[in-house]
Amino acid sequence: MIRRLGAGLVIAVGLACGSDNPSGANGSVTPESGMNQTAAVGTALQPFSVKVTDGAGPVAGVTVSWSVVVGGGGVAPATSVTDAGGIAGATATLGTVVGSQVVKATASGYSPAIFTTLATAGPAATIAKDAGDDQFGFTGSALPEQLQVRVQDQYDNPVPNASVSWAVAAGGGNLSPTTTTTNVDGRSSTTYAFGTTPGDVSITASVAGAGTVTFAAKGIVQRFFTILAGGNNVHNRSSVDLWVKDGYAYTGTYPGSVPGVFGNVVLIWQLVGSGAPVLYDSIITPNVGAISDIQVSDDGGWLAFTTEGGTGSGLYVYQLTSPGVPVFRAKTVVSGSTIGLHTGTLATIGGTLYDFAARDPSGCALEIYDLSQAGSGIITEASATPIPENYCIHDTFVRDGYVFVFAWDEGLYIFDVGNGSHGGSPTHPVQISHTKAFGGETHNGWWFWNPNGEKKYLFIGQEGPSNGGNASGDIHVVDVSNFAAPVEVGFYHMANAGTHNFWVDETNQILYAAYYNGGVVALDISGTITGSMASRELARIRPGGNSHTFTWGVMLYNGSVYASDMSSGFYQLSEPH
Amino acid sequence: MIRPVATGVVLALVLTQQAEAQSPVTAHLAAQLIPLYTSVDPIPGGETLGELRVVQPLLMLHLGAVDDHLRLTTTLDLEGKTIPDGELAPGDWGEGYVDRRHPHTYVHELMLSGVDLLGDLDGAARVSLSVGKGFVPFGTDDPMSRPPVRYPVNHHFAQILERAVAMAGVRVGPVIAEGSFFDGDEPERPDQWPLIKNDDEWRFGDSWSLRLTLLPVRHVELQGSRAKVHSPEHRPGAGTDAWKWDVSARYEGPVGHSRVYGLAEWAKTEEAEGFFVFHSILAEGAWTVGHHRPYYRFERTERPEETRTLDPFRSLRPHLENSILGITRWTLHTIGYGFGFSLSQGRLDLQPFVEGTFGKVGLVQPGLFDPELFYGKESVRSLSVGVRAAWQLHGHRMGRYGALLDDGPAMTHEHHEM
């Protein structure tokens, strides 16, 4: 459209200039043939000819100059001389851009002539996927987005009215329609509906002369969680963080609605039979208000939990002399902080066990504690890296010598704490990047390594406001292929609910997210992730029903999904089926 | 930073011009304290608790100069010493206290005002500028200036106080318009001052308020206010903003041979971009006949329920997240009776009083917080017996500066040349 307006403007200017020619009243160059042609871009036009006349008639021997004033392309020869009949000619070749082309023929002392030609797209040369690739959908249902291609000529001009043939190359299902026509922008789309068989689907779109493109889609069966055991088994307190290991589960508590009953208890559950949790023992920690995070080391030898809200707030370390039998070994109380430690993540770096803890205000920091002497009652601070007082750090994820720090509105920090790529260590963390984004309220995350060896995605939980009944906040999918510049590429949103802690089944590529009042949701995270993940939802459940669900955390263990719910206790759920 | 400096410079320049009259400095001292015994049923856990405390211990010094065009309003509040753990008051909340009314900061007011700065240049209009620490032009009178001793639950929805504030006001006939900039952070302890700047970011000026007051007829006052308060509960500034509305109608004047006071108020505060919404309606009145002063307040106010510390009367401060455990609605009736008399040639006013509150607490919507479990019952009762003692404090309305000051000198009654 801009090109056409430009052409019109030039034509108007050109004509205005001609009228200024003082000789125009007595002599002119006028088109004789070749006017108003339409042809494909890049092609030669039928020859142009003009007649030069003055008051006495045709004038021979006049040199006529030819030039392209709009639209590219060319005209040859650049000059020609009128014959006895006053006629001169030239041949133009259109440019490569669709739109008007204007050629001007001028002769000194004569008003000029203008030839206007319309250049249209050439034959289809290329076809490309425009939208709808790599989607997920439920079997028996249509894909959320239409499949769309864009067809262009050899010069990348959109080709309208091209016929596109759609076909299911693999995986079944139906296309409607199977033949479409491109619009003025060269785009064309169709709708795909899965058949009854789940799995990968390939859909081709072909245009004669342009080739074929293949869309990928995946049909998934809508599945369901089932409550296998548990529920309504934590009284007077709220059940919060959890860890399951070696046949036992450990859950933390927050204060409930009973004054004087604090969240100072770690509940120890024995998993009996097919994994049903049965309360086995507990740890009561004096002078703390809440057990804010809990974890068992990978070797099963250590249990560590962080605490908040009391004079005893800090890090507590127990040795698991046998599964389910923790023996207190060491603690460190956070001095100077009015609240304590919000979370702690156990990880082994260079053969030494560390706890990567989030220090609450004041003095927000990534606290790394060396637990190598915990058996002797000693916890050593390896380092403390300050984080701005912007609601501090909420969680950390440690893997492969890197620590991902989720720091609320400060966003995401990535440190090398022992990988070696940037020379970092637990005693000297080296910051690789700091990104303020991902919706703010950056709370937790999981760096996903898929079975193919890709380490591309970091899933980040945004913890928006919640009021104990409703919550808010999305899952953000961040491409961390380049640690120095993480980029958000996708998201998952659940209406009127907010996400909290994650667990990922990397083998089967399923993300489990605790979703507060939304319960537990399972998402398929295989393949390439872009945009909304709504169609990747496999299953969800509110274990406590609509009015008693506020799920804090979730973990997959030995074929069951364990969920800790602030309103309704500790559950064993089935995997989605 | 430019705003307070500019305001101060303008104030100084204009007052220098006004000083040509060179009138004497006037001063007024006043004081108040209320010893009282309060019994509450229930406190968290369902028990009954009674406490003897001295509340609202105030010392005030108000200075006037340059024909009272320059006013200094100073109020020292000693509640940090007399009620460091707060005052028993079921339903009250704020500044990390729950079911106890928090102590105020020691320097409750320190405000310098230039009144009617343009004199006759602006005709009948009265332009004022005020700077210092004090009340923001928003909402209704400080509860200390009102008949019930007990603070209403809506204190943090209907007043914004103890901030570093720069305000301008203009009064034209019965219309008074005020606007201000201030720091959004509310105090965390009695000895704390407003945070002017946090690292590289200014807290002063991150919040604003507007108040329009109409005086349609004598003794009647209509008011509407709007304010944005940035991160009131997270001092460094990372918290969510509060958007506040307050509308009220007030009458104070004679009816026959008695004096009548009445206030009706509606307030609304939205936080976290509307995720949290708290409403309040309140109506209160007092009738003074001779020595007798019965009074009554009805209030229905919603409040956030936050995670409490090991002390069930305190909440985590600051919050760790933008999350609360639920929203409760407090519907309370407060009935009181005071018997007032004066001593020391009318300078000392004493009013023994008895004041009771009853009502109930319920949930706005189901959540993690269960008030019936927490308090053991839904009903709420409290009873207070005490004496309101005020020295030279007749009719003072705290928190009014500049354009809201009356035509007379600083405070009513006596003033002494210095």
Side-chain angles (χ1 to χ4, degrees):
Chain A
M1 187 61 184
I2 292 172
R3 282 195 294 268
R4 290 177 185 177
L5 286 173
L9 187 62
V10 172
I11 292 168
V13 170
L15 291 173
C17 290
S19 66
D20 289 340
N21 188 334
S23 64
N26 296 317
S28 63
V29 180
T30 55
E32 273 291 290
S33 64
M35 299 83 79
N36 300 321
Q37 296 183 60
T38 297
V41 291
T43 58
L45 295 170
Q46 294 297 315
F48 297 147
S49 66
V50 294
K51 176 182 281 187
V52 178
T53 59
D54 61 12
V59 183
V62 176
T63 299
V64 176
S65 298
W66 299 85
S67 61
V68 177
V69 293
V70 172
V75 59
T79 60
S80 56
V81 179
T82 57
D83 60 15
I87 301 298
T91 299
T93 301
L94 288 172
T96 59
V97 178
V98 167
S100 294
Q101 176 172 299
V102 178
V103 173
K104 188 175 180 182
T106 60
S108 179
Y110 297 87
S111 60
I114 296 295
F115 292 85
T116 301
T117 306
L118 179 61
T120 60
T126 63
I127 180 171
K129 292 179 281 190
D130 199 46
D133 196 16
D134 281 323
Q135 292 187 74
F136 282 62
F138 291 126
T139 52
S141 301
L143 278 174
E145 271 187 76
Q146 284 197 310
L147 308 176
Q148 183 168 287
V149 294
R150 189 174 193 211
V151 180
Q152 295 175 311
D153 65 14
Q154 63 173 316
Y155 303 112
D156 296 334
N157 296 296
V159 177
N161 301 315
S163 178
V164 182
S165 297
W166 301 86
V168 177
N174 297 297
L175 288 158
S176 179
T178 54
T179 302
T180 58
T181 303
T182 55
N183 63 14
V184 70
D185 294 323
R187 292 186 167 87
S188 184
S189 57
T190 192
T191 299
Y192 172 77
F194 290 101
T196 56
T197 305
D200 293 326
V201 173
S202 294
I203 299 144
T204 59
S206 304
V207 173
T212 299
V213 291
T214 303
F215 288 83
K218 186 173 183 180
I220 53 181
V221 178
Q222 185 164 22
R223 292 188 260 178
F224 303 92
F225 287 108
T226 300
I227 297 174
L228 300 177
N232 299 314
N233 48 8
V234 178
H235 305 292
N236 298 331
R237 295 176 169 88
S238 290
S239 184
V240 288
D241 202 41
L242 78 162
W243 202 268
V244 191
K245 183 80 175 173
D246 297 333
Y248 289 84
Y250 307 84
T251 57
T253 52
Y254 261 42
S257 287
V258 180
V261 178
F262 307 113
N264 56 358
V265 177
V266 173
L267 298 174
I268 303 171
W269 310 81
Q270 188 175 35
L271 307 183
V272 301
S274 58
V278 174
L279 190 59
Y280 177 75
D281 202 349
S282 63
I283 303 169
I284 298 175
T285 304
N287 301 318
V288 304
I291 308 295
S292 50
D293 200 7
I294 193 164
Q295 187 177 349
V296 176
S297 60
D298 288 344
D299 65 5
W302 297 91
L303 169 73
F305 56 87
T306 54
T307 61
E308 292 179 318
T311 54
S313 296
L315 174 64
Y316 291 76
V317 179
Y318 285 71
Q319 189 168 13
L320 292 167
T321 53
S322 65
V325 184
V327 177
F328 174 74
R329 293 301 186 201
K331 71 174 181 179
T332 181
V333 174
V334 178
S335 60
S337 169
T338 55
I339 300 175
L341 297 177
H342 198 54
T343 54
T345 302
L346 290 173
T348 300
I349 307 283
T352 299
L353 183 65
Y354 293 92
D355 195 285
F356 295 77
R359 178 191 167 103
D360 290 321
S362 57
C364 300
L366 168 64
E367 292 272 9
I368 304 178
Y369 294 106
D370 181 340
L371 305 186
S372 59
Q373 294 179 282
S376 303
I378 298 171
I379 297 174
T380 307
E381 183 187 78
S383 63
T385 304
I387 298 291
E389 298 270 341
N390 197 347
Y391 275 168
C392 297
I393 302 172
H394 281 252
D395 206 354
T396 53
F397 187 88
V398 186
R399 191 169 206 176
D400 198 25
Y402 297 108
V403 57
F404 298 83
V405 171
F406 308 99
W408 210 248
D409 289 340
E410 286 297 313
L412 169 69
Y413 291 83
I414 305 177
F415 292 94
D416 177 359
V417 289
N419 175 272
S421 64
H422 294 72
S425 68
T427 53
H428 295 95
V430 174
Q431 182 177 316
I432 300 171
S433 64
H434 171 209
T435 310
K436 283 190 174 185
F438 322 126
E441 300 158 332
T442 305
H443 176 265
N444 64 298
W446 187 293
W447 184 23
F448 172 43
W449 291 11
N450 77 10
N452 303 321
E454 286 185 352
K455 304 171 183 177
K456 184 177 180 182
Y457 295 122
L458 175 70
F459 295 94
I460 290 180
Q462 174 192 3
E463 184 172 10
S466 68
N467 61 15
N470 289 327
S472 59
D474 297 340
I475 297 172
H476 298 264
V477 188
V478 178
D479 184 338
V480 289
S481 301
N482 178 4
F483 274 7
V487 178
E488 181 166 354
V489 295
F491 66 94
Y492 173 79
H493 172 78
M494 186 187 293
N496 302 314
T499 189
H500 202 235
N501 292 344
F502 303 156
W503 188 265
V504 175
D505 175 359
E506 296 193 329
T507 302
N508 294 304
Q509 304 186 81
I510 297 174
L511 169 70
Y512 295 98
Y515 234 91
Y516 277 150
N517 55 316
V520 178
V521 64
L523 303 174
D524 187 320
I525 53 173
S526 62
T528 302
I529 301 174
T530 56
S532 171
M533 294 175 69
S535 62
R536 291 172 175 262
E537 183 178 318
L538 298 172
R540 73 165 83 171
I541 188 173
R542 287 188 166 117
N546 289 340
S547 57
H548 291 96
T549 292
F550 217 73
T551 309
W552 175 283
V554 62
M555 182 171 173
L556 178 69
Y557 173 79
N558 199 24
S560 293
V561 176
Y562 289 88
S564 178
D565 189 281
M566 296 183 76
S567 283
S568 56
F570 185 48
Y571 290 88
Q572 180 198 13
L573 309 176
S574 69
E575 289 186 273
H577 59 90
Chain B
M1 189 58 189
I2 292 172
R3 280 192 287 264
V5 170
T7 306
V9 168
V10 170
L11 200 60
L13 288 174
V14 174
L15 289 171
T16 301
Q17 300 296 317
Q18 301 273 10
E20 293 175 357
Q22 288 296 322
S23 57
V25 174
T26 60
H28 186 86
L29 277 167
Q32 171 181 289
L33 62 82
I34 304 175
L36 85 172
Y37 175 81
T38 297
S39 175
V40 171
D41 176 26
I43 60 167
E47 303 292 320
T48 299
L49 179 64
E51 287 183 351
L52 181 63
R53 294 287 186 273
V54 174
V55 302
Q56 304 180 26
L58 306 177
L59 285 173
M60 299 180 188
L61 172 62
H62 292 190
L63 298 175
V66 198
D67 286 336
D68 269 337
H69 287 290
L70 180 63
R71 308 276 189 99
L72 180 67
T73 304
T74 307
T75 300
L76 187 63
D77 188 316
L78 300 175
E79 287 179 334
K81 298 297 182 186
T82 63
I83 51 167
D85 295 324
E87 176 189 4
L88 269 180
D92 281 12
W93 66 282
E95 303 185 12
Y97 291 76
V98 196
D99 297 319
R100 286 183 181 274
R101 196 261 301 174
H102 60 81
H104 290 107
T105 58
Y106 294 124
V107 180
H108 193 52
E109 292 180 293
L110 182 60
M111 290 292 294
L112 181 65
S113 297
V115 182
D116 196 16
L117 292 169
L118 300 180
D120 294 334
L121 295 177
D122 55 358
R126 292 164 56 83
V127 175
S128 68
L129 294 174
S130 301
V131 293
K133 180 189 177 189
F135 286 77
V136 166
F138 176 85
T140 48
D141 288 349
D142 185 86
M144 278 195 275
S145 303
R146 289 151 52 178
V149 173
R150 173 196 161 82
Y151 265 57
V153 179
N154 79 358
H155 178 40
H156 280 256
F157 299 140
Q159 289 92 36
I160 304 171
L161 63 159
E162 298 183 327
R163 304 302 212 280
V165 57
M167 54 189 287
V170 59
R171 177 172 182 167
V172 180
V175 180
I176 302 166
E178 301 165 283
S180 78
F181 290 102
F182 58 98
D183 61 296
D185 57 296
E186 63 185 21
E188 296 170 318
R189 57 180 188 273
D191 61 352
Q192 194 173 52
W193 287 86
L195 184 61
I196 303 301
K197 191 177 184 182
N198 182 51
D199 295 330
D200 295 331
E201 297 205 6
W202 289 95
R203 289 243 51 190
F204 179 84
D206 66 8
S207 304
W208 55 263
S209 74
L210 296 169
R211 179 164 62 188
L212 184 67
T213 305
L214 301 177
L215 309 171
V217 296
R218 186 171 168 80
H219 306 303
V220 173
E221 182 178 296
L222 307 175
Q223 171 275 138
S225 302
R226 177 72 162 152
K228 177 209 167 186
V229 186
H230 174 58
S231 185
E233 297 186 353
H234 189 267
R235 186 170 166 86
T240 60
D241 295 344
W243 289 86
K244 305 167 84 74
W245 282 102
D246 187 274
V247 178
S248 68
R250 182 182 188 275
Y251 175 87
E252 185 171 15
V255 174
H257 296 293
S258 62
R259 190 164 184 83
V260 171
Y261 158 83
L263 173 72
E265 179 176 42
W266 170 86
K268 176 182 173 183
T269 292
E270 294 184 3
E271 295 182 24
E273 298 177 342
F275 192 90
F276 304 121
V277 183
F278 305 100
H279 300 89
S280 172
I281 56 172
L282 180 149
E284 64 185 24
W287 181 37
T288 306
V289 183
H291 294 293
H292 308 283
R293 191 187 209 195
Y295 53 88
Y296 169 76
R297 170 189 289 156
F298 169 78
E299 179 181 19
R300 176 176 286 176
T301 296
E302 296 157 0
R303 81 168 190 192
E305 296 298 339
E306 302 169 349
T307 303
R308 304 199 190 198
T309 66
L310 299 182
D311 179 345
F313 292 102
R314 302 293 290 271
S315 60
L316 280 181
R317 187 80 181 175
H319 297 294
L320 288 172
E321 292 149 355
N322 298 330
S323 300
I324 59 176
L325 301 176
I327 297 176
T328 50
R329 179 182 292 119
W330 295 75
T331 304
L332 301 176
H333 304 265
T334 297
I335 300 173
Y337 167 78
F339 182 85
F341 58 96
S342 297
L343 299 176
S344 188
Q345 298 178 324
R347 292 185 178 182
L348 177 61
D349 294 322
L350 296 175
Q351 187 188 80
F353 68 90
V354 57
E355 183 176 302
T357 294
F358 65 93
K360 64 178 183 178
V361 53
L363 271 175
V364 173
Q365 68 173 54
L368 292 172
F369 185 81
D370 182 344
E372 190 169 357
L373 197 58
F374 194 79
Y375 296 105
K377 60 180 80 169
E378 290 184 340
S379 61
V380 175
R381 290 183 297 174
S382 73
L383 181 67
S384 296
V385 179
V387 178
R388 185 193 289 265
W391 187 60
Q392 297 197 140
L393 198 63
H394 306 287
H396 176 55
R397 297 176 66 185
M398 190 179 292
R400 297 165 72 83
Y401 319 111
L404 279 182
L405 289 170
D406 56 23
D407 293 339
M411 296 182 69
T412 56
H413 297 281
E414 312 232 357
H415 27 309
H416 309 273
E417 292 190 357
M418 297 180 74

